[in-house]
């Protein structure tokens, strides 16, 4: 089909608009339009490129879906070596570094201090503003050409926005955000695959995929921290490089600040360390760089690292201890997981006495034995795990870890299903499975019955008071008081918590709580978006479910077989009877919804909700949630550490409410 002029113009216009909104979203962290509006622009561009293939362009934002699989990676040679950094582990080492710098330069020096992202170093090459190639650091001289994969990363623009030079090599870190790391591991575990040990391994594994389509699904991010070879522009400070990179549409390391002495650097270190767990990405310290590039050159390099920079590391998430024993836990799906019993050890502020050993092949691969000295790791919300044995400390008294042949709880023979690493207890009524299922059911991300979980579920099952999830809602005070070590006050609190859970349940959490195989938090959210109630979901066919985004054949099959089981049909009936049955309002109901036509914007973190939960609540009550403040915003909900939206809302006179006001508003509604 010949291509009319208007289509050509519109395609160019759409590309510019989309690139601009990518820039607002990724670089400035201040989007101007909603996700839905963005999606509309994107699909308009995609459609035009399909109708008029002659308009396709390798640098169009639509090209981020990933090209053809490769058979191997080519070499990627760096024009200038990519150095490593010297590490410091204490303020004393920081002072030594500063003293060396002052001694050599004989003058006062400004430092540019930024977070050290824990990912994978890469270099991107742009010629005349267009992305041409990119590679990993490798040994600093030669890495791997991962251009096709880098192209799929959403915050790597395929064309720079403005003020770009003739040629520029941009260096930075590719990371996987913590939330995406948890999501990916959730999927891996559900599929019976080995999870990644940490976000860095996950980022590296995702970028070094021969099939770019897999990389495209992983939602990696790139943050720049420096330059390689450059032609057609020059800079005088690190700070200037940052500002210029941002103008070109490149995301830079998100936390950085200028410091003038060791006190300021130490204060910044404490500040970042305090918010380390809340940051969306993993960091392992700060990088301190001399700001002035001429002074950097004057200081020069050792064989391995620049003399103008230091990585000041946070205390490790790892510690050494002794593996005393291994016990075997039976999970919801009957999977038997080996758990290490450790000599208690403190890691990053928590006392650790247990850690997961994943499965038998992992134990064999790591060659772990009882009585081994081991390295244990804890990062963020991840379950602590044993990294490896300390082989130098073996005495000969270590004993092999033996796997049971029978279920440690019900005695049934354990089986390994074909293609799985895990061994399972296949007895559906194994008490351990019931216990794990119910603990999952009442957990925070599930029905959320505070105080019941791990402490009381086993006791309630043992006493015969509950045999399934529905029974929890029939518990009476005298039932609870009959339990050992249950006082009047605790019984009261539990009953209140059960009641509260019933009032506050949302469809997505209820679906997640059911513990359907392969249905994690994210999948539950997708299902709750498309179905108005459990009834509707239970009637969906495999074909219908497979139409939904991110729902594959295995997940669809698992959902259908869950609802086919008569015991689960019964459970649904019981839920209905109890009133544990959220039904999403149909559109016509929205007419009378209390927050109808009200637009909310959220900023900062809320204590009682995640962003998504708050959004779901608002939408259920008929309101809308937008990403940016405008004169049309009705309420700005302010949590902890609010962003620039607060200032904008004040300027525009938008009503500002805190979390407490918000809770009142939605509970009154
Ligand atoms: S500067 C010549 N800045 O840390 C100096 N590196 O341990 C080049 N890294 O290979 C590095 N965040 O992958 C720099 N803000 C940051 C960084 C950073 C993470 C990584 C980078 C480097 C490694 C060295």
């Amino acid at each position: 089909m010949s291509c009319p002029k208007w289509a050509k113009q519109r395609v160019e216009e759409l590309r510019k608009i989309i690139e601009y909104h990518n820039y607002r979203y990724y670089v400035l962290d201040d989007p101007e339009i909603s996700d839905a509006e963005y999606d509309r622009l994107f699909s308009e561009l995609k459609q035009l490129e399909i109708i008029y293939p002659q308009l396709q362009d390798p640098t169009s934002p639509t090209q981020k879906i990933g090209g053809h699989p490769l058979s191997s990676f080519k070499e990627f040679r760096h024009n200038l070596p990519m150095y490593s950094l010297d590490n410091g582990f204490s303020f004393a080492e920081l002072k030594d570094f500063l003293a060396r710098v002052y001694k050599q330069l004989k003058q006062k020096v400004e430092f540019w201090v930024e977070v050290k992202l824990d990912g994978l170093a890469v270099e991107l090459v742009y010629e005349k503003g267009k992305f041409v190639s990119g590679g990993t650091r490798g040994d600093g001289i030669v890495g791997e050409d991962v251009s096709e994969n880098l192209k799929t990363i959403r915050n790597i623009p395929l064309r720079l926005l403005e003020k770009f030079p003739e040629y520029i090599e941009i260096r930075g870190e590719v990371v996987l955000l913590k939330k995406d790391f948890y999501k990916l591991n959730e999927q891996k575990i559900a599929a019976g695959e080995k999870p990644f040990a940490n976000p860095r391994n996950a980022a590296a594994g995702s970028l070094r995929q021969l099939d770019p389509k897999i990389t495209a699904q992983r939602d990696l991010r790139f943050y720049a921290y420096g330059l390689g070879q450059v032609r057609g522009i020059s800079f005088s400070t690190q700070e200037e490089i940052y500002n210029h990179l941002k103008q070109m549409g490149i995301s830079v390391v998100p936390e950085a600040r200028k410091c003038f002495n060791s006190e300021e650097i130490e204060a910044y270190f404490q500040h970042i360390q305090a918010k380390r767990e809340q940051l969306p990405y993993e960091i392992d310290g700060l990088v301190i760089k001399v700001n002035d590039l001429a002074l950097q050159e004057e200081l020069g390099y050792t064989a391995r690292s620049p003399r103008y920079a230091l990585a000041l590391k946070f205390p490790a998430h790892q510690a050494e201890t002794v593996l005393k024993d291994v016990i075997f836990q039976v999970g919801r799906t009957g999977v038997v997981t080996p758990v290490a019993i450790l000599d208690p050890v403190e890691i990053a502020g928590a006392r650790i006495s247990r850690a997961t050993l994943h499965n038998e092949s992992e134990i064999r691969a790591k060659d772990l034995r009882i009585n081994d000295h081991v390295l244990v790791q804890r990062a963020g919300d991840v379950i602590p795990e044993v990294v490896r044995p300390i082989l130098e400390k073996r005495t000969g008294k270590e004993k092999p870890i033996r796997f049971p042949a029978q279920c440690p709880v019900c005695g049934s023979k354990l089986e390994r299903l074909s293609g799985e690493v895990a061994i399972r207890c296949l007895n559906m009524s194994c008490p351990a499975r019931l216990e794990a299922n119910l603990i999952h059911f009442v957990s925070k991300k599930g029905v959320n019955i505070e105080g019941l979980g791990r402490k009381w579920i086993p006791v309630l099952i043992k006493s015969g008071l509950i045999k399934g999830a529905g029974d929890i809602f029939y518990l009476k005070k005298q039932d609870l008081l009959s339990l050992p070590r249950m006082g009047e006050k605790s019984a009261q609190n539990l009953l209140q918590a059960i009641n509260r859970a019933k009032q506050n349940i949302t469809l997505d959490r209820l679906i997640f709580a059911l513990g359907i195989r392969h249905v994690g938090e994210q999948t539950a959210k997708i299902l709750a978006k498309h179905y108005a109630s459990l009834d509707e979901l239970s009637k969906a066919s495999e074909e219908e479910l497979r139409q939904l985004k991110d729902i594959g054949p295995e997940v669809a099959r698992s959902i259908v077989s869950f609802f086919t089981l008569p015991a689960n049909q019964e459970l649904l009936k019981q839920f209905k009877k109890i009133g544990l049955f959220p039904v999403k309002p149909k559109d016509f109901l929205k007419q009378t919804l209390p927050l109808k036509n009200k637009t909310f914007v959220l900023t900062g973190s809320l204590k009682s909700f995640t962003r998504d939960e708050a959004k779901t609540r608002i939408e259920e009550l008929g309101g809308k949630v937008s990403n940016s403040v405008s004169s049309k915003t009705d309420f700005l909900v302010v949590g902890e550490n609010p962003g620039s939206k607060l200032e904008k809302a004040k300027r525009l006179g938008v009503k500002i409410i805190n979390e407490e006001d918000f809770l009142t508003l939605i509970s009154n509604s």
Side-chain angles (χ1 to χ4, degrees):
M1 196 186 301
S2 76
C3 172
K5 203 164 146 213
W6 68 263
K8 195 162 182 248
Q9 277 169 356
R10 179 65 182 154
V11 161
E12 265 319 302
E13 183 182 42
L14 282 165
R15 286 177 186 155
K16 287 231 166 68
I17 298 175
I18 291 169
E19 272 152 12
Y20 171 74
H21 289 300
N22 282 343
Y23 166 73
R24 299 285 321 185
Y25 185 89
Y26 291 111
V27 181
L28 302 186
D29 196 15
D30 187 16
E32 269 177 7
I33 58 171
S34 69
D35 291 358
E37 280 169 83
Y38 180 90
D39 290 347
R40 256 197 309 279
L41 293 167
F42 203 88
S43 61
E44 185 187 346
L45 176 59
K46 242 170 32 191
Q47 272 170 0
L48 285 172
E49 288 179 354
I50 291 169
I51 304 171
Y52 306 109
Q54 59 271 56
L55 294 181
Q56 280 174 12
D57 180 326
T59 62
S60 170
T62 54
Q63 294 306 298
K64 295 208 155 277
I65 41 164
H68 298 296
L70 306 173
S71 51
S72 64
F73 293 119
K74 285 190 298 194
E75 272 191 357
F76 187 93
R77 212 158 260 283
H78 301 287
N79 287 323
L80 297 176
M82 282 182 86
Y83 285 94
S84 188
L85 287 168
D86 269 351
N87 290 325
F89 296 93
S90 64
F91 289 152
E93 286 182 81
L94 166 68
K95 288 201 174 92
D96 289 347
F97 164 72
L98 298 184
R100 281 197 302 274
V101 169
Y102 293 134
K103 189 169 166 215
Q104 197 173 336
L105 296 177
K106 299 189 180 62
Q107 60 173 286
K108 272 192 79 143
V109 181
E110 246 172 55
F111 294 94
W112 183 254
V113 184
E114 59 201 38
V115 290
K116 185 167 188 297
L117 296 167
D118 202 9
L120 173 79
V122 300
E123 179 172 88
L124 315 176
V125 182
Y126 287 88
E127 276 176 23
K128 299 193 174 72
K130 291 196 172 170
F131 176 90
V132 287
S133 63
T136 60
R137 173 176 180 271
D139 61 6
I141 309 290
V142 185
E144 286 173 320
D145 184 329
V146 285
S147 307
E148 290 308 309
N149 295 345
L150 289 167
K151 273 159 80 175
T152 70
I153 298 181
R154 286 189 229 178
N155 73 335
I156 295 185
L158 299 176
R159 300 184 209 179
L160 297 174
L161 275 186
E162 55 174 23
K163 295 194 179 166
F164 46 80
E166 174 72 20
Y167 178 91
I168 189 163
E169 295 170 357
I170 300 171
R171 292 172 174 184
E173 203 83 347
V174 167
V175 300
L176 188 66
L177 299 185
K178 290 182 205 166
K179 71 173 169 49
D180 296 317
F181 164 69
Y182 299 137
K183 193 165 95 185
L184 177 60
N185 268 357
E186 193 183 277
Q187 285 165 358
K188 286 204 146 238
I189 291 165
E193 290 171 30
K194 189 177 147 199
F196 285 111
N198 51 49
R200 180 186 24 160
N201 287 0
S206 303
L207 189 66
R208 299 184 61 257
Q209 288 283 341
L210 289 169
D211 184 353
K213 291 211 164 53
I214 300 184
T215 311
Q217 288 163 9
R218 298 281 169 91
D219 213 357
L220 295 165
R221 298 289 156 94
F222 169 80
Y223 296 105
Y225 51 65
L227 300 176
Q229 214 173 61
V230 177
R231 286 196 293 275
I233 195 166
S234 67
F235 301 100
S236 56
T237 63
Q238 188 73 24
E239 185 180 14
E240 205 181 298
I241 293 177
Y242 263 56
N243 292 335
H244 198 91
L245 283 170
K246 279 204 252 180
Q247 283 180 0
M248 293 194 302
I250 295 283
S251 311
V252 293
V253 171
E255 300 274 349
R257 152 175 319 180
K258 221 168 6 190
C259 291
F260 292 89
N261 52 43
S262 87
E263 288 73 38
E264 282 184 20
I265 299 173
E266 286 172 26
Y268 189 47
F269 184 87
Q270 312 278 21
H271 166 76
I272 294 289
Q273 198 176 6
K275 63 181 206 182
R276 181 181 183 189
E277 297 299 329
Q278 278 85 53
L279 291 174
Y281 39 78
E282 195 80 58
I283 57 172
D284 57 353
L286 292 183
V287 183
I288 296 125
K289 299 172 184 172
V290 169
N291 194 20
D292 187 302
L293 302 184
L295 296 181
Q296 284 190 1
E297 279 312 300
E298 200 176 326
L299 286 160
Y301 298 82
T302 68
R304 205 186 77 94
S305 52
R307 288 200 189 87
Y308 59 77
L310 177 77
L312 186 60
K313 303 289 269 288
F314 292 132
H317 276 312
Q318 294 186 336
E320 195 186 309
T321 185
V322 177
L323 173 64
K324 303 295 284 182
D325 197 4
V326 175
I327 59 164
F328 295 88
Q329 270 180 355
V330 186
R332 287 190 288 126
T333 53
V335 169
V336 177
T337 308
V339 177
I341 306 295
L342 306 166
D343 254 351
V345 60
E346 190 165 315
I347 312 179
R351 209 175 120 93
I352 307 296
S353 57
R354 287 170 172 232
T356 178
L357 293 170
H358 301 296
N359 54 51
E360 191 173 2
S361 60
E362 181 100 6
I363 293 180
R364 302 281 166 256
K366 289 179 180 165
D367 183 25
L368 286 167
R369 302 179 196 175
I370 290 169
N371 293 332
D372 257 339
H373 284 256
V374 289
L375 197 64
V376 179
Q377 167 168 293
R378 167 182 177 261
D381 298 339
V382 186
I383 303 169
E385 60 159 11
V386 175
V387 182
R388 61 176 171 86
I390 318 267
L391 294 175
E392 310 85 84
K393 294 209 171 160
R394 285 222 166 130
T395 61
K397 292 210 175 105
E398 295 76 19
K399 286 184 291 185
I401 298 167
R402 296 207 188 286
F403 260 66
Q406 270 112 21
C407 170
V409 179
C410 73
S412 314
K413 187 165 173 281
L414 296 178
E415 310 271 351
R416 173 170 287 121
L417 302 183
S418 68
E420 287 192 3
V421 278
I423 45 171
R424 288 174 193 278
C425 166
L426 297 180
N427 173 11
M428 290 286 281
S429 44
C430 171
R433 290 183 64 171
L434 175 66
E435 184 180 308
N437 262 310
L438 293 187
I439 291 175
H440 171 81
F441 181 76
V442 302
S443 67
K444 202 164 177 161
K445 291 178 175 171
V447 176
N448 189 15
I449 306 182
E450 234 174 289
L452 196 60
R454 225 163 263 292
K455 180 158 178 212
W456 290 111
I457 291 284
V459 186
L460 284 163
I461 294 177
K462 212 161 157 204
S463 67
L465 282 171
I466 55 173
K467 294 196 174 63
D471 300 338
I472 295 170
F473 298 88
Y474 290 105
L475 287 171
K476 307 248 169 344
K477 196 161 176 189
Q478 57 270 36
D479 294 335
L480 293 177
L481 287 173
S482 71
L483 299 173
R485 284 190 295 281
M486 172 74 78
E488 177 80 26
K489 183 86 189 129
S490 312
Q492 187 79 30
N493 286 346
L494 278 182
L495 289 175
Q496 272 172 4
I498 293 170
N499 210 15
R500 233 188 353 257
K502 207 160 79 179
Q503 311 290 332
N504 291 332
I505 189 67
T506 53
L507 186 57
D508 60 331
R509 284 196 290 113
L510 186 59
I511 296 172
F512 173 72
L514 292 175
I516 306 170
R517 228 177 139 206
H518 301 309
V519 177
E521 234 185 313
Q522 297 302 324
T523 310
K525 282 201 173 113
I526 296 169
L527 294 170
K529 239 187 192 162
H530 287 86
Y531 295 95
S533 68
L534 277 189
D535 263 350
E536 277 197 12
L537 175 62
S538 72
K539 287 181 197 129
S541 67
E542 268 183 57
E543 296 71 53
E544 187 184 322
L545 287 162
R546 283 178 60 179
Q547 307 292 319
L548 305 183
K549 190 174 159 260
D550 289 341
I551 308 262
E554 208 175 352
V555 185
R557 206 173 312 126
S558 166
I559 297 169
V560 171
S561 56
F562 179 91
F563 288 110
T564 316
L565 276 184
N568 293 334
Q569 296 272 359
E570 267 316 300
L571 193 65
L572 246 59
K573 280 194 203 141
Q574 221 181 357
F575 283 171
K576 234 185 213 171
K577 220 158 102 193
I578 305 160
L580 185 75
F581 211 79
V583 176
K584 286 203 306 192
K586 291 266 180 279
D587 278 346
F588 66 87
L589 274 177
K590 280 196 181 159
Q591 310 281 333
T592 54
L593 286 172
L595 301 184
K596 189 171 184 296
N597 292 336
K598 296 278 181 263
T599 302
F600 287 75
V601 174
L602 306 165
T603 182
S605 52
L606 301 176
K607 288 199 214 82
S608 339
F609 300 96
T610 63
R611 276 275 163 106
D612 281 348
E613 283 164 357
K615 193 168 174 212
T616 311
R617 282 299 282 151
I618 293 168
E619 285 170 356
E620 278 172 355
L621 295 167
K624 272 191 304 192
V625 178
S626 160
N627 284 325
S628 55
V629 175
S630 73
S631 56
K632 293 194 192 104
T633 312
D634 295 290
F635 297 101
L636 177 75
V637 185
V638 181
E640 259 175 44
N641 301 322
S644 60
K645 291 172 190 167
L646 179 57
E647 289 309 313
K648 190 160 174 196
K650 280 184 188 158
R651 248 184 294 129
L652 295 176
V654 168
K655 185 157 177 53
I656 297 167
I657 59 174
N658 61 21
E659 181 162 358
E660 221 171 290
D661 302 332
F662 177 60
L663 283 170
T664 317
L665 184 69
I666 58 173
S667 57
N668 287 346
S669 305

